[in-house]
PDB file of all heavy atoms in Angstrom:
ATOM      1  N   PRO A 285      -5.287   7.192  -5.090  1.00 76.00           N
ATOM      2  CA  PRO A 285      -5.642   8.532  -4.506  1.00 76.00           C
ATOM      3  C   PRO A 285      -7.209   8.588  -4.209  1.00 76.00           C
ATOM      4  O   PRO A 285      -7.608   9.317  -3.281  1.00 76.00           O
ATOM      5  CB  PRO A 285      -5.221   9.499  -5.565  1.00 76.00           C
ATOM      6  CG  PRO A 285      -4.103   8.794  -6.252  1.00 76.00           C
ATOM      7  CD  PRO A 285      -4.585   7.341  -6.335  1.00 76.00           C
ATOM      8  N   TYR A 286      -8.006   7.900  -4.944  1.00 74.00           N
ATOM      9  CA  TYR A 286      -9.467   7.893  -4.732  1.00 74.00           C
ATOM     10  C   TYR A 286      -9.828   7.315  -3.370  1.00 74.00           C
ATOM     11  O   TYR A 286     -10.745   7.835  -2.758  1.00 74.00           O
ATOM     12  CB  TYR A 286     -10.176   7.197  -5.885  1.00 74.00           C
ATOM     13  CG  TYR A 286     -10.116   7.860  -7.183  1.00 74.00           C
ATOM     14  CD1 TYR A 286      -9.119   7.522  -8.151  1.00 74.00           C
ATOM     15  CD2 TYR A 286     -11.067   8.895  -7.531  1.00 74.00           C
ATOM     16  CE1 TYR A 286      -9.079   8.144  -9.355  1.00 74.00           C
ATOM     17  CE2 TYR A 286     -10.941   9.469  -8.775  1.00 74.00           C
ATOM     18  CZ  TYR A 286      -9.956   9.124  -9.658  1.00 74.00           C
ATOM     19  OH  TYR A 286      -9.887   9.762 -10.895  1.00 74.00           O
ATOM     20  N   PHE A 287      -9.044   6.277  -3.036  1.00 73.00           N
ATOM     21  CA  PHE A 287      -9.325   5.685  -1.692  1.00 73.00           C
ATOM     22  C   PHE A 287      -8.993   6.713  -0.563  1.00 73.00           C
ATOM     23  O   PHE A 287      -9.654   6.720   0.370  1.00 73.00           O
ATOM     24  CB  PHE A 287      -8.506   4.355  -1.559  1.00 73.00           C
ATOM     25  CG  PHE A 287      -8.875   3.294  -2.557  1.00 73.00           C
ATOM     26  CD1 PHE A 287      -7.966   2.983  -3.607  1.00 73.00           C
ATOM     27  CD2 PHE A 287     -10.035   2.578  -2.372  1.00 73.00           C
ATOM     28  CE1 PHE A 287      -8.355   1.987  -4.457  1.00 73.00           C
ATOM     29  CE2 PHE A 287     -10.439   1.645  -3.371  1.00 73.00           C
ATOM     30  CZ  PHE A 287      -9.543   1.379  -4.353  1.00 73.00           C
ATOM     31  N   ASN A 288      -7.972   7.478  -0.788  1.00 67.00           N
ATOM     32  CA  ASN A 288      -7.553   8.430   0.262  1.00 67.00           C
ATOM     33  C   ASN A 288      -8.680   9.370   0.524  1.00 67.00           C
ATOM     34  O   ASN A 288      -8.938   9.716   1.671  1.00 67.00           O
ATOM     35  CB  ASN A 288      -6.347   9.245  -0.286  1.00 67.00           C
ATOM     36  CG  ASN A 288      -5.067   8.413  -0.247  1.00 67.00           C
ATOM     37  OD1 ASN A 288      -5.129   7.227  -0.276  1.00 67.00           O
ATOM     38  ND2 ASN A 288      -3.958   9.173  -0.357  1.00 67.00           N
ATOM     39  N   GLU A 289      -9.409   9.772  -0.537  1.00 61.00           N
ATOM     40  CA  GLU A 289     -10.481  10.755  -0.330  1.00 61.00           C
ATOM     41  C   GLU A 289     -11.642  10.082   0.429  1.00 61.00           C
ATOM     42  O   GLU A 289     -12.250  10.741   1.235  1.00 61.00           O
ATOM     43  CB  GLU A 289     -10.992  11.261  -1.722  1.00 61.00           C
ATOM     44  CG  GLU A 289      -9.885  12.083  -2.424  1.00 61.00           C
ATOM     45  CD  GLU A 289     -10.259  12.343  -3.869  1.00 61.00           C
ATOM     46  OE1 GLU A 289     -11.422  12.023  -4.211  1.00 61.00           O
ATOM     47  OE2 GLU A 289      -9.486  12.916  -4.594  1.00 61.00           O
ATOM     48  N   GLY A 290     -11.886   8.889   0.022  1.00 55.00           N
ATOM     49  CA  GLY A 290     -13.084   8.195   0.656  1.00 55.00           C
ATOM     50  C   GLY A 290     -12.859   7.860   2.081  1.00 55.00           C
ATOM     51  O   GLY A 290     -13.753   7.858   2.909  1.00 55.00           O
ATOM     52  N   PHE A 291     -11.604   7.603   2.458  1.00 57.00           N
ATOM     53  CA  PHE A 291     -11.286   7.128   3.797  1.00 57.00           C
ATOM     54  C   PHE A 291     -10.462   8.200   4.642  1.00 57.00           C
ATOM     55  O   PHE A 291     -10.025   7.869   5.781  1.00 57.00           O
ATOM     56  CB  PHE A 291     -10.627   5.743   3.838  1.00 57.00           C
ATOM     57  CG  PHE A 291     -11.525   4.661   3.419  1.00 57.00           C
ATOM     58  CD1 PHE A 291     -11.735   4.408   2.068  1.00 57.00           C
ATOM     59  CD2 PHE A 291     -12.242   3.918   4.383  1.00 57.00           C
ATOM     60  CE1 PHE A 291     -12.660   3.362   1.692  1.00 57.00           C
ATOM     61  CE2 PHE A 291     -13.150   2.972   3.958  1.00 57.00           C
ATOM     62  CZ  PHE A 291     -13.320   2.666   2.644  1.00 57.00           C
ATOM     63  N   ASP A 292     -10.192   9.307   4.015  1.00 61.00           N
ATOM     64  CA  ASP A 292      -9.509  10.352   4.708  1.00 61.00           C
ATOM     65  C   ASP A 292      -8.237   9.918   5.298  1.00 61.00           C
ATOM     66  O   ASP A 292      -7.964  10.079   6.471  1.00 61.00           O
ATOM     67  CB  ASP A 292     -10.449  11.022   5.717  1.00 61.00           C
ATOM     68  CG  ASP A 292      -9.823  12.259   6.334  1.00 61.00           C
ATOM     69  OD1 ASP A 292      -9.042  12.898   5.538  1.00 61.00           O
ATOM     70  OD2 ASP A 292     -10.171  12.644   7.461  1.00 61.00           O
ATOM     71  N   GLY A 293      -7.407   9.199   4.549  1.00 75.00           N
ATOM     72  CA  GLY A 293      -6.130   8.686   5.121  1.00 75.00           C
ATOM     73  C   GLY A 293      -5.171   8.352   3.987  1.00 75.00           C
ATOM     74  O   GLY A 293      -5.078   9.015   2.941  1.00 75.00           O
ATOM     75  N   GLU A 294      -4.427   7.238   4.098  1.00 83.00           N
ATOM     76  CA  GLU A 294      -3.447   6.866   3.130  1.00 83.00           C
ATOM     77  C   GLU A 294      -3.732   5.416   2.718  1.00 83.00           C
ATOM     78  O   GLU A 294      -4.271   4.586   3.519  1.00 83.00           O
ATOM     79  CB  GLU A 294      -2.034   7.033   3.632  1.00 83.00           C
ATOM     80  CG  GLU A 294      -1.852   8.455   4.205  1.00 83.00           C
ATOM     81  CD  GLU A 294      -0.463   8.928   4.009  1.00 83.00           C
ATOM     82  OE1 GLU A 294       0.279   8.436   3.104  1.00 83.00           O
ATOM     83  OE2 GLU A 294      -0.020   9.909   4.638  1.00 83.00           O
ATOM     84  N   SER A 295      -3.284   5.061   1.528  1.00 87.00           N
ATOM     85  CA  SER A 295      -3.604   3.679   0.983  1.00 87.00           C
ATOM     86  C   SER A 295      -2.283   3.056   0.537  1.00 87.00           C
ATOM     87  O   SER A 295      -1.354   3.751  -0.022  1.00 87.00           O
ATOM     88  CB  SER A 295      -4.693   3.751  -0.038  1.00 87.00           C
ATOM     89  OG  SER A 295      -4.346   4.681  -1.020  1.00 87.00           O
ATOM     90  N   PHE A 296      -2.170   1.775   0.721  1.00 91.00           N
ATOM     91  CA  PHE A 296      -1.054   0.941   0.291  1.00 91.00           C
ATOM     92  C   PHE A 296      -1.469  -0.305  -0.346  1.00 91.00           C
ATOM     93  O   PHE A 296      -2.658  -0.846  -0.073  1.00 91.00           O
ATOM     94  CB  PHE A 296      -0.197   0.568   1.570  1.00 91.00           C
ATOM     95  CG  PHE A 296       0.216   1.748   2.342  1.00 91.00           C
ATOM     96  CD1 PHE A 296      -0.570   2.237   3.389  1.00 91.00           C
ATOM     97  CD2 PHE A 296       1.437   2.432   2.155  1.00 91.00           C
ATOM     98  CE1 PHE A 296      -0.241   3.330   4.134  1.00 91.00           C
ATOM     99  CE2 PHE A 296       1.849   3.456   2.984  1.00 91.00           C
ATOM    100  CZ  PHE A 296       0.981   3.911   3.928  1.00 91.00           C
ATOM    101  N   ILE A 297      -0.681  -0.965  -1.135  1.00 94.00           N
ATOM    102  CA  ILE A 297      -0.892  -2.329  -1.633  1.00 94.00           C
ATOM    103  C   ILE A 297       0.293  -3.159  -1.269  1.00 94.00           C
ATOM    104  O   ILE A 297       1.446  -2.825  -1.503  1.00 94.00           O
ATOM    105  CB  ILE A 297      -1.136  -2.278  -3.201  1.00 94.00           C
ATOM    106  CG1 ILE A 297      -2.386  -1.562  -3.518  1.00 94.00           C
ATOM    107  CG2 ILE A 297      -1.181  -3.731  -3.693  1.00 94.00           C
ATOM    108  CD1 ILE A 297      -2.648  -1.523  -5.009  1.00 94.00           C
ATOM    109  N   ASP A 298       0.012  -4.312  -0.618  1.00 96.00           N
ATOM    110  CA  ASP A 298       1.078  -5.273  -0.317  1.00 96.00           C
ATOM    111  C   ASP A 298       0.897  -6.544  -1.107  1.00 96.00           C
ATOM    112  O   ASP A 298      -0.291  -7.004  -1.378  1.00 96.00           O
ATOM    113  CB  ASP A 298       0.963  -5.615   1.214  1.00 96.00           C
ATOM    114  CG  ASP A 298       1.370  -4.448   2.126  1.00 96.00           C
ATOM    115  OD1 ASP A 298       1.680  -3.417   1.572  1.00 96.00           O
ATOM    116  OD2 ASP A 298       1.293  -4.625   3.323  1.00 96.00           O
ATOM    117  N   ILE A 299       2.049  -7.188  -1.442  1.00 96.00           N
ATOM    118  CA  ILE A 299       1.960  -8.548  -1.962  1.00 96.00           C
ATOM    119  C   ILE A 299       2.575  -9.512  -1.006  1.00 96.00           C
ATOM    120  O   ILE A 299       3.440  -9.084  -0.169  1.00 96.00           O
ATOM    121  CB  ILE A 299       2.700  -8.602  -3.351  1.00 96.00           C
ATOM    122  CG1 ILE A 299       4.110  -8.111  -3.222  1.00 96.00           C
ATOM    123  CG2 ILE A 299       1.968  -7.868  -4.350  1.00 96.00           C
ATOM    124  CD1 ILE A 299       5.031  -8.287  -4.493  1.00 96.00           C
ATOM    125  N   LYS A 300       2.310 -10.721  -1.076  1.00 96.00           N
ATOM    126  CA  LYS A 300       2.859 -11.740  -0.089  1.00 96.00           C
ATOM    127  C   LYS A 300       4.023 -12.450  -0.746  1.00 96.00           C
ATOM    128  O   LYS A 300       3.920 -12.987  -1.877  1.00 96.00           O
ATOM    129  CB  LYS A 300       1.798 -12.704   0.407  1.00 96.00           C
ATOM    130  CG  LYS A 300       2.149 -13.532   1.573  1.00 96.00           C
ATOM    131  CD  LYS A 300       1.001 -14.242   2.175  1.00 96.00           C
ATOM    132  CE  LYS A 300       1.377 -14.948   3.569  1.00 96.00           C
ATOM    133  NZ  LYS A 300       2.512 -15.894   3.431  1.00 96.00           N
ATOM    134  N   VAL A 301       5.110 -12.591  -0.054  1.00 95.00           N
ATOM    135  CA  VAL A 301       6.268 -13.363  -0.488  1.00 95.00           C
ATOM    136  C   VAL A 301       5.891 -14.852  -0.548  1.00 95.00           C
ATOM    137  O   VAL A 301       5.303 -15.389   0.381  1.00 95.00           O
ATOM    138  CB  VAL A 301       7.514 -13.136   0.469  1.00 95.00           C
ATOM    139  CG1 VAL A 301       8.662 -13.936  -0.064  1.00 95.00           C
ATOM    140  CG2 VAL A 301       7.820 -11.629   0.523  1.00 95.00           C
ATOM    141  N   HIS A 302       6.179 -15.461  -1.676  1.00 92.00           N
ATOM    142  CA  HIS A 302       5.604 -16.859  -1.896  1.00 92.00           C
ATOM    143  C   HIS A 302       6.257 -17.942  -0.990  1.00 92.00           C
ATOM    144  O   HIS A 302       5.615 -18.907  -0.629  1.00 92.00           O
ATOM    145  CB  HIS A 302       5.750 -17.254  -3.369  1.00 92.00           C
ATOM    146  CG  HIS A 302       7.167 -17.560  -3.753  1.00 92.00           C
ATOM    147  ND1 HIS A 302       7.627 -18.902  -3.747  1.00 92.00           N
ATOM    148  CD2 HIS A 302       8.180 -16.871  -4.223  1.00 92.00           C
ATOM    149  CE1 HIS A 302       8.851 -18.944  -4.135  1.00 92.00           C
ATOM    150  NE2 HIS A 302       9.212 -17.695  -4.501  1.00 92.00           N
ATOM    151  N   ASP A 303       7.566 -17.695  -0.579  1.00 91.00           N
ATOM    152  CA  ASP A 303       8.184 -18.770   0.208  1.00 91.00           C
ATOM    153  C   ASP A 303       8.522 -18.330   1.552  1.00 91.00           C
ATOM    154  O   ASP A 303       9.251 -19.084   2.264  1.00 91.00           O
ATOM    155  CB  ASP A 303       9.461 -19.275  -0.523  1.00 91.00           C
ATOM    156  CG  ASP A 303      10.385 -18.187  -0.846  1.00 91.00           C
ATOM    157  OD1 ASP A 303      10.078 -16.994  -0.618  1.00 91.00           O
ATOM    158  OD2 ASP A 303      11.552 -18.427  -1.251  1.00 91.00           O
ATOM    159  N   LYS A 304       8.058 -17.153   2.009  1.00 92.00           N
ATOM    160  CA  LYS A 304       8.391 -16.715   3.432  1.00 92.00           C
ATOM    161  C   LYS A 304       7.087 -15.992   3.946  1.00 92.00           C
ATOM    162  O   LYS A 304       6.217 -15.618   3.227  1.00 92.00           O
ATOM    163  CB  LYS A 304       9.523 -15.695   3.395  1.00 92.00           C
ATOM    164  CG  LYS A 304      10.795 -16.376   3.003  1.00 92.00           C
ATOM    165  CD  LYS A 304      11.894 -15.259   3.026  1.00 92.00           C
ATOM    166  CE  LYS A 304      13.258 -15.948   2.599  1.00 92.00           C
ATOM    167  NZ  LYS A 304      14.364 -14.887   2.499  1.00 92.00           N
ATOM    168  N   ASP A 305       7.041 -15.995   5.277  1.00 93.00           N
ATOM    169  CA  ASP A 305       5.817 -15.357   5.893  1.00 93.00           C
ATOM    170  C   ASP A 305       6.059 -13.818   5.989  1.00 93.00           C
ATOM    171  O   ASP A 305       6.153 -13.236   7.122  1.00 93.00           O
ATOM    172  CB  ASP A 305       5.626 -15.905   7.281  1.00 93.00           C
ATOM    173  CG  ASP A 305       4.247 -15.722   7.867  1.00 93.00           C
ATOM    174  OD1 ASP A 305       3.365 -15.506   6.984  1.00 93.00           O
ATOM    175  OD2 ASP A 305       4.087 -15.675   9.093  1.00 93.00           O
ATOM    176  N   LEU A 306       6.192 -13.214   4.799  1.00 94.00           N
ATOM    177  CA  LEU A 306       6.483 -11.752   4.769  1.00 94.00           C
ATOM    178  C   LEU A 306       5.603 -11.181   3.601  1.00 94.00           C
ATOM    179  O   LEU A 306       5.051 -11.860   2.788  1.00 94.00           O
ATOM    180  CB  LEU A 306       7.997 -11.595   4.404  1.00 94.00           C
ATOM    181  CG  LEU A 306       9.033 -12.070   5.319  1.00 94.00           C
ATOM    182  CD1 LEU A 306      10.406 -11.995   4.632  1.00 94.00           C
ATOM    183  CD2 LEU A 306       9.011 -11.400   6.672  1.00 94.00           C
ATOM    184  N   ALA A 307       5.502  -9.805   3.704  1.00 94.00           N
ATOM    185  CA  ALA A 307       4.810  -9.134   2.609  1.00 94.00           C
ATOM    186  C   ALA A 307       5.639  -7.950   2.147  1.00 94.00           C
ATOM    187  O   ALA A 307       6.556  -7.532   2.887  1.00 94.00           O
ATOM    188  CB  ALA A 307       3.406  -8.657   3.099  1.00 94.00           C
ATOM    189  N   VAL A 308       5.360  -7.462   0.991  1.00 95.00           N
ATOM    190  CA  VAL A 308       6.166  -6.284   0.474  1.00 95.00           C
ATOM    191  C   VAL A 308       5.213  -5.202  -0.046  1.00 95.00           C
ATOM    192  O   VAL A 308       4.180  -5.503  -0.656  1.00 95.00           O
ATOM    193  CB  VAL A 308       7.028  -6.798  -0.710  1.00 95.00           C
ATOM    194  CG1 VAL A 308       7.824  -5.541  -1.295  1.00 95.00           C
ATOM    195  CG2 VAL A 308       7.955  -7.883  -0.279  1.00 95.00           C
ATOM    196  N   VAL A 309       5.481  -3.981   0.252  1.00 94.00           N
ATOM    197  CA  VAL A 309       4.720  -2.851  -0.176  1.00 94.00           C
ATOM    198  C   VAL A 309       5.072  -2.464  -1.668  1.00 94.00           C
ATOM    199  O   VAL A 309       6.194  -2.192  -1.885  1.00 94.00           O
ATOM    200  CB  VAL A 309       4.881  -1.531   0.687  1.00 94.00           C
ATOM    201  CG1 VAL A 309       4.053  -0.406   0.210  1.00 94.00           C
ATOM    202  CG2 VAL A 309       4.645  -1.863   2.189  1.00 94.00           C
ATOM    203  N   VAL A 310       4.098  -2.619  -2.546  1.00 95.00           N
ATOM    204  CA  VAL A 310       4.347  -2.404  -3.967  1.00 95.00           C
ATOM    205  C   VAL A 310       3.775  -1.173  -4.521  1.00 95.00           C
ATOM    206  O   VAL A 310       4.047  -0.684  -5.641  1.00 95.00           O
ATOM    207  CB  VAL A 310       3.957  -3.639  -4.805  1.00 95.00           C
ATOM    208  CG1 VAL A 310       4.755  -4.843  -4.471  1.00 95.00           C
ATOM    209  CG2 VAL A 310       2.530  -3.866  -4.697  1.00 95.00           C
ATOM    210  N   ALA A 311       2.812  -0.549  -3.778  1.00 93.00           N
ATOM    211  CA  ALA A 311       2.208   0.741  -4.200  1.00 93.00           C
ATOM    212  C   ALA A 311       1.775   1.497  -3.017  1.00 93.00           C
ATOM    213  O   ALA A 311       1.366   0.885  -1.929  1.00 93.00           O
ATOM    214  CB  ALA A 311       1.069   0.380  -5.169  1.00 93.00           C
ATOM    215  N   GLU A 312       1.735   2.877  -3.069  1.00 90.00           N
ATOM    216  CA  GLU A 312       1.276   3.639  -1.991  1.00 90.00           C
ATOM    217  C   GLU A 312       0.822   5.014  -2.534  1.00 90.00           C
ATOM    218  O   GLU A 312       1.244   5.442  -3.608  1.00 90.00           O
ATOM    219  CB  GLU A 312       2.339   3.821  -0.901  1.00 90.00           C
ATOM    220  CG  GLU A 312       3.579   4.583  -1.493  1.00 90.00           C
ATOM    221  CD  GLU A 312       4.659   4.756  -0.382  1.00 90.00           C
ATOM    222  OE1 GLU A 312       4.512   4.326   0.703  1.00 90.00           O
ATOM    223  OE2 GLU A 312       5.655   5.439  -0.745  1.00 90.00           O
ATOM    224  N   SER A 313       0.018   5.691  -1.750  1.00 84.00           N
ATOM    225  CA  SER A 313      -0.509   6.997  -2.180  1.00 84.00           C
ATOM    226  C   SER A 313       0.390   8.107  -1.569  1.00 84.00           C
ATOM    227  O   SER A 313      -0.083   9.213  -1.502  1.00 84.00           O
ATOM    228  CB  SER A 313      -1.917   7.145  -1.778  1.00 84.00           C
ATOM    229  OG  SER A 313      -2.034   7.023  -0.385  1.00 84.00           O
ATOM    230  N   TYR A 314       1.553   7.850  -1.129  1.00 71.00           N
ATOM    231  CA  TYR A 314       2.414   8.696  -0.432  1.00 71.00           C
ATOM    232  C   TYR A 314       2.732  10.021  -1.203  1.00 71.00           C
ATOM    233  O   TYR A 314       3.074   9.978  -2.342  1.00 71.00           O
ATOM    234  CB  TYR A 314       3.739   7.990  -0.103  1.00 71.00           C
ATOM    235  CG  TYR A 314       4.780   8.818   0.530  1.00 71.00           C
ATOM    236  CD1 TYR A 314       4.720   9.201   1.962  1.00 71.00           C
ATOM    237  CD2 TYR A 314       5.850   9.365  -0.149  1.00 71.00           C
ATOM    238  CE1 TYR A 314       5.642   9.951   2.538  1.00 71.00           C
ATOM    239  CE2 TYR A 314       6.803  10.182   0.469  1.00 71.00           C
ATOM    240  CZ  TYR A 314       6.785  10.438   1.750  1.00 71.00           C
ATOM    241  OH  TYR A 314       7.795  11.169   2.385  1.00 71.00           O
ATOM    242  N   LYS A 315       2.447  11.128  -0.529  1.00 66.00           N
ATOM    243  CA  LYS A 315       2.908  12.527  -1.080  1.00 66.00           C
ATOM    244  C   LYS A 315       3.762  13.107  -0.016  1.00 66.00           C
ATOM    245  O   LYS A 315       3.291  13.241   1.101  1.00 66.00           O
ATOM    246  CB  LYS A 315       1.801  13.349  -1.412  1.00 66.00           C
ATOM    247  CG  LYS A 315       0.973  12.920  -2.731  1.00 66.00           C
ATOM    248  CD  LYS A 315      -0.087  13.903  -3.030  1.00 66.00           C
ATOM    249  CE  LYS A 315      -0.791  13.477  -4.258  1.00 66.00           C
ATOM    250  NZ  LYS A 315      -1.926  14.467  -4.679  1.00 66.00           N
ATOM    251  N   LYS A 316       4.967  13.402  -0.341  1.00 60.00           N
ATOM    252  CA  LYS A 316       5.995  13.862   0.720  1.00 60.00           C
ATOM    253  C   LYS A 316       5.505  15.007   1.535  1.00 60.00           C
ATOM    254  O   LYS A 316       5.664  14.975   2.812  1.00 60.00           O
ATOM    255  CB  LYS A 316       7.264  14.177   0.002  1.00 60.00           C
ATOM    256  CG  LYS A 316       8.360  14.478   1.077  1.00 60.00           C
ATOM    257  CD  LYS A 316       9.786  14.427   0.342  1.00 60.00           C
ATOM    258  CE  LYS A 316      10.879  14.529   1.394  1.00 60.00           C
ATOM    259  NZ  LYS A 316      12.228  14.553   0.790  1.00 60.00           N
TER     260      LYS A 316
END
C-alpha cells in the first residue's frame, strides 16, 4: 500500500515460473 501512495496507482508482485516462460501474480494492493 505504501507504493500506491507514492505512485498514485496500484502495485503487484509477480514470480516467474521456473520451467515455462510465464509469470504468476502472488501479491497485489487490490481493494474492491
Side-chain angles (χ1 to χ4, degrees):
Y286 290 95
F287 297 108
N288 289 15
E289 293 168 8
F291 288 85
D292 190 26
E294 308 215 20
S295 49
F296 306 86
I297 294 178
D298 291 358
I299 57 172
K300 195 169 186 300
V301 180
H302 75 91
D303 57 351
K304 294 179 181 177
D305 199 25
L306 302 170
V308 180
V309 181
V310 296
E312 63 180 3
S313 59
Y314 174 79
K315 287 185 178 180
K316 191 167 186 178

